[in-house]
Amino acid sequence: DSTIDIHCHRVAPLVIKSMVKQRSPSAKAPQQTISPVSKSYNKETKTSLSSASQNKTTVFRCGLCLVGILLFTVTRRNGDKKLLRSSLNYNDDDHFVPDKGGQECSIYMAPSSIKGVTSMGIFTTRDIPKKATALQGGTDGPSITILTDKFRASGLRFPKSSWIKVWGHYAWGRGKGVPDHINYEGDSIMEYQTTFGALPNHHCVLSSTSFSFPDVPYDDSFAKYGSSPSTGASTYNTGRDWRVKRDVKAGEELFLNYGHCSRAGYPSWIPDSVPTPDEYKAAAKFLKQEWAKLPLEDDDNAEHPVVVPDDMDDRVATILPPTFETVFKNMPKGNIDSGILVKELARKHEIEERTPEWIRENGKCLEHLKANPSTLPDAGRGGFAQHFIPKGSLVVPTPMVHVMDRDWLAMYDKNGAHVGDQVVLNYCFSHPESTVALCPNTNALLINHCSPSSRDCRVNAKLTWAIDDSISEEWRQMSLEELSKQNFRGLAMEIVTTRNIAPGDEVFLDYGVEWEEAWKQHVAHWSKKRLRSLSAKEANNAEQVPSALITNNLKETANDSYLFTGCQFWLTDEDDDEHWKKPNEKWKSLSDEDILKAYSSDGSQYGPGSYARHSDFNYWPCSIIREDGDNTYLVRIEQSPFFEDENWHVNELPRLLSNYPRESIHFFVRKQAGDQYIPHV
């Protein structure tokens, strides 16, 4: 019943069950069903909005003030306009009709199946065979690069640590599966992902998801090479193709292995009682040995209790089932696969079974939207309906990660002048008088703006609070100080249709008046920034290497101002040869034949490579010297910034590879040369 001035409450409540890998210790368990918005709740919300519009300094009850004040907006600084989406008002007729899924949607967000966990997880209602795509629409939503070395703002109310602690749980760090086109984007980076890159819970044993990168991992072809006002306004990273790495049955929760698989490496959010893979293997080994000793029974209903040895490790002992038949009933006696047994033990020990029917009843569809080029000019990609979505139905749940002070995302030039903000801010929600920004964790961020007066599009969706979420409802009562102490996500919204949406239709929101006014000012002051002759997408899609990226000189390296060449490379014993340890200042005076004889080796061992399946730091900078044969090249490897300097780099000697395959070459945008870093985009 405490009352707090509205200016203390710019935490626009965006709610969802904490379907996170971690959860707030104080968070309550989410309700297990989706229920419609109640009339009384809508009326209270409407009242708070009305009161807020009459007097912004009125003192409100804590919960109501937060519900009413999210109006997406525009930030400012020295005349710069950074666009932040504007929400729609919630009114008495905005009833949320729960989406029951039907037979079309098959990937849902629902309460996790892990026993004792109150967060959300991702589930499938269809069988998915090994190596098949998890999402029926293919590629997930885009990912967004965040430059962590650009946090230079000072004198802010909330410390940088309050931002880093939260986002560290949801963004991927360098060396943890980040593609090299993002690794090379800055000195210190994080990759912010959506849906499968952000929502699956962690499990070492039951992990079922893996990913590859799409054919076009970075699409810099949308913005007309700097001539469009929308240049740099969106991420060019196209995301990931998520697949399953084993057969998955309908009803299963889809897990991702975060790498915390030894007890020494357990973070604080993993209870000490959770077994490690080694402990599950020890339990499986014991059960197999003891099962093999049991006599064959004619009675299918016979049960044999498991007797725990006195000297068994306590953690291993807790895994063992009460009877052998608990796990062996449907397995052939004798030749039992240890891997299958380990997974079965993990399911019995940690997982509550879910049925497809339960998931549809209690979950929210994550598969309605698909990424495609927007129907609006120069708008990048948009969100398109894969299924028919009736009026008043859920399009996509929108859990949010909070930023306590969006000024941490400001960018400055070398003289300290503010030149813009990081592009992730264009995907976030905020309020004109608040420092807080809230950023979606699903492909809701694909949805573009449509003006109600536009003839090119039609608004067909709106934002509403996810009122069936007890954790988010609790968080909406927090002050900014309380929110700043939360290390995990707890707020969310939902996007709901305002009219029927047919398959293939683009989904549009009205970002609000403030956003439109800011965009008009941005367009009015826009001037063409620069032209480039070749995009990364064009260079990578070309059958032959573009001639502009070939040096045709053994003694020179490529120096394009926008692109550089990357070659898949790994160190071998050859890189430790003695001749690399001896400087030779006269090597450039040698003939090409002598240079190749002294410093060249066979590069065919480095291919054929695949960008789709590469790992962090697979690509080293290189220069293409010339075509060497049928789709092979002579290349010069350059020092990777992610490894210690090699002797050949220290002594400025050419590390040449002949017969190098075209498939192992990829073209990258130079560090902070992308459109997102042009001042005032």
Side-chain angles (χ1 to χ4, degrees):
D1 290 335
S2 61
T3 56
I4 304 178
D5 187 275
I6 190 171
H7 291 295
C8 298
H9 279 98
R10 291 301 181 266
V11 185
L14 286 75
V15 2
I16 203 153
K17 298 161 191 157
S18 178
M19 65 182 204
V20 293
K21 312 146 187 180
Q22 307 87 13
R23 60 191 185 282
S24 167
S26 62
K28 297 177 181 177
Q31 299 172 6
Q32 298 298 297
T33 59
I34 298 175
S35 57
V37 175
S38 66
K39 279 282 186 180
S40 61
Y41 189 70
N42 283 336
K43 288 178 180 176
E44 291 174 352
T45 306
K46 186 176 181 180
T47 300
S48 70
L49 281 170
S50 175
S51 301
S53 66
Q54 293 172 14
N55 184 356
K56 286 188 177 179
T57 61
T58 302
V59 174
F60 290 85
R61 285 188 182 275
C62 178
L64 297 183
C65 128
L66 289 181
V67 170
I69 62 174
L70 182 64
L71 297 174
F72 296 37
T73 187
V74 185
T75 64
R76 59 333 91 228
R77 254 193 249 93
N78 301 326
D80 286 336
K81 298 296 181 181
K82 193 65 183 180
L83 308 183
L84 287 165
R85 302 180 178 183
S86 179
S87 81
L88 305 177
N89 288 338
Y90 199 101
N91 62 59
D92 193 47
D93 296 323
D94 291 337
H95 291 105
F96 168 56
V97 179
D99 173 68
K100 299 301 182 183
Q103 298 304 311
E104 293 178 315
C105 182
S106 64
I107 300 295
Y108 287 79
M109 186 180 74
S112 177
S113 61
I114 302 176
K115 295 175 182 177
V117 170
T118 58
S119 64
M120 304 291 277
I122 293 185
F123 292 81
T124 176
T125 59
R126 75 182 195 276
D127 291 343
I128 311 178
K130 182 178 179 179
K131 297 184 179 181
T133 301
L135 285 167
Q136 293 184 98
T139 303
D140 203 348
S143 63
I144 305 169
T145 306
I146 299 173
L147 303 183
T148 55
D149 60 326
K150 293 298 180 182
F151 298 155
R152 298 178 185 172
S154 59
L156 303 183
R157 176 178 177 184
F158 299 101
K160 181 171 64 175
S161 59
S162 66
W163 191 95
I164 294 294
K165 285 180 181 178
V166 177
W167 281 63
H169 294 309
Y170 305 103
W172 293 37
R174 179 175 279 155
K176 303 295 185 180
V178 175
D180 277 351
H181 65 271
I182 292 179
N183 280 322
Y184 278 114
E185 201 165 336
D187 291 326
S188 179
I189 60 94
M190 291 194 300
E191 182 192 12
Y192 184 54
Q193 294 184 52
T194 61
T195 315
F196 272 93
L199 305 183
N201 285 310
H202 164 68
H203 207 288
C204 295
V205 173
L206 298 178
S207 172
S208 56
T209 57
S210 63
F211 62 85
S212 60
F213 301 107
D215 293 338
V216 181
Y218 183 88
D219 189 350
D220 52 350
S221 65
F222 283 119
K224 296 183 178 178
Y225 305 129
S227 61
S228 168
S230 63
T231 295
S234 61
T235 178
Y236 296 165
N237 303 319
T238 57
R240 285 165 167 74
D241 292 330
W242 286 91
R243 301 178 182 275
V244 296
K245 57 186 182 182
R246 59 175 174 82
D247 290 340
V248 174
K249 297 296 183 182
E252 279 197 54
E253 182 172 353
L254 299 175
F255 292 107
L256 181 64
N257 185 346
Y258 302 173
H260 307 304
C261 294
S262 66
R263 197 163 297 282
Y266 274 9
S268 60
W269 50 266
I270 297 182
D272 188 63
S273 59
V274 174
T276 66
D278 285 343
E279 289 161 358
Y280 274 118
K281 290 175 183 177
K285 181 179 179 180
F286 168 77
L287 288 173
K288 281 183 66 175
Q289 292 173 345
E290 298 303 308
W291 175 248
K293 298 176 184 178
L294 295 176
L296 292 173
E297 294 277 358
D298 294 330
D299 184 1
D300 292 337
N301 295 318
E303 292 191 351
H304 301 85
V306 175
V307 179
V308 181
D310 293 335
D311 60 349
M312 177 171 280
D313 180 88
D314 289 342
R315 290 194 177 99
V316 176
T318 62
I319 299 170
L320 300 179
T323 68
F324 286 95
E325 285 72 19
T326 303
V327 292
F328 287 108
K329 187 171 184 179
N330 297 318
M331 294 185 185
K333 196 163 185 180
N335 187 21
I336 298 173
D337 185 283
S338 296
I340 293 176
L341 180 55
V342 165
K343 289 180 174 61
E344 186 64 17
L345 285 171
R347 290 190 188 97
K348 296 293 185 182
H349 185 66
E350 295 187 62
I351 303 299
E352 294 179 357
E353 290 189 9
R354 301 281 194 250
T355 65
E357 293 74 23
W358 187 96
I359 294 166
R360 294 188 187 102
E361 182 67 27
N362 295 275
K364 300 178 182 181
C365 178
L366 290 167
E367 219 169 30
H368 282 324
L369 284 183
K370 179 180 181 180
N372 272 324
S374 177
T375 56
L376 300 177
D378 302 331
R381 297 197 298 168
F384 290 77
Q386 293 202 90
H387 316 127
F388 172 73
I389 314 175
K391 180 180 178 180
S393 297
L394 176 71
V395 177
V396 60
T398 312
M400 299 285 186
V401 181
H402 58 276
V403 180
M404 289 309 301
D405 199 320
R406 59 178 178 248
D407 283 351
W408 281 119
L409 296 171
M411 292 194 297
Y412 302 86
D413 64 17
K414 61 183 179 181
N415 298 317
H418 173 251
V419 294
D421 297 303
Q422 297 205 41
V423 71
V424 68
L425 206 57
N426 269 359
Y427 294 92
C428 301
F429 302 86
S430 191
H431 183 277
E433 299 173 25
S434 173
T435 64
V436 174
L438 301 165
C439 308
N441 245 176
T442 64
N443 56 13
L445 53 70
L446 287 167
I447 299 176
N448 284 316
H449 167 70
C450 178
S451 170
S453 61
S454 175
R455 295 183 179 181
D456 298 325
C457 56
R458 186 168 68 163
V459 176
N460 52 16
K462 65 181 178 182
L463 286 154
T464 66
W465 307 128
I467 54 85
D468 64 317
D469 186 329
S470 62
I471 290 177
S472 184
E473 289 171 7
E474 180 181 336
W475 280 46
R476 292 194 314 217
Q477 316 308 314
M478 293 180 182
S479 67
L480 288 179
E481 297 295 340
E482 291 171 329
L483 181 66
S484 70
K485 297 175 183 177
Q486 306 304 314
N487 293 335
F488 307 106
R489 180 196 65 226
L491 300 170
M493 294 187 80
E494 291 169 346
I495 293 176
V496 177
T497 57
T498 57
R499 62 182 76 239
N500 292 341
I501 299 179
D505 283 355
E506 184 168 4
V507 180
F508 290 105
L509 288 171
D510 177 6
Y511 291 177
V513 174
E514 292 94 342
W515 192 95
E516 281 210 4
E517 289 302 315
W519 176 251
K520 289 177 183 177
Q521 293 182 40
H522 174 69
V523 172
H525 293 89
W526 176 260
S527 60
K528 185 184 294 185
K529 297 301 179 183
R530 65 184 178 198
L531 290 175
R532 53 178 176 266
S533 58
L534 189 67
S535 70
K537 178 182 177 181
E538 291 169 330
N540 284 309
N541 286 353
E543 291 186 7
Q544 300 294 323
V545 172
S547 59
L549 299 173
I550 300 178
T551 68
N552 288 307
N553 190 325
L554 281 172
K555 302 164 188 176
E556 293 182 3
T557 56
N559 193 28
D560 185 87
S561 61
Y562 180 66
L563 297 177
F564 76 91
T565 305
C567 294
Q568 285 202 15
F569 180 75
W570 50 88
L571 298 172
T572 66
D573 291 343
E574 187 173 354
D575 292 280
D576 290 327
D577 282 355
E578 289 298 319
H579 70 283
W580 299 122
K581 301 176 183 179
K582 301 175 182 178
N584 183 1
E585 297 178 358
K586 298 182 179 180
W587 75 266
K588 288 187 177 181
S589 63
L590 300 175
S591 66
D592 285 0
E593 183 178 356
D594 287 339
I595 292 173
L596 290 172
K597 185 177 181 180
Y599 301 114
S600 176
S601 58
D602 182 28
S604 61
Q605 63 179 308
Y606 298 100
S610 167
Y611 195 80
R613 304 296 297 178
H614 83 279
S615 301
D616 297 70
F617 319 139
N618 271 180
Y619 285 85
W620 290 47
C622 64
S623 292
I624 301 174
I625 309 301
R626 63 176 181 239
E627 191 167 3
D628 214 19
D630 185 16
N631 218 25
T632 61
Y633 293 84
L634 175 65
V635 301
R636 177 178 174 179
I637 303 298
E638 300 165 26
Q639 179 63 49
S640 169
F642 309 122
F643 295 90
E644 293 183 3
D645 288 353
E646 289 299 307
N647 290 321
W648 42 264
H649 171 71
V650 172
N651 291 318
E652 299 182 352
L653 299 173
R655 183 68 167 95
L656 299 170
L657 297 174
S658 60
N659 301 314
Y660 192 87
R662 171 66 179 90
E663 295 89 343
S664 299
I665 295 172
H666 193 85
F667 298 101
F668 299 87
V669 176
R670 290 190 179 276
K671 183 175 69 175
Q672 295 177 38
D675 295 341
Q676 292 76 15
Y677 307 106
I678 302 173
H680 310 297
V681 294

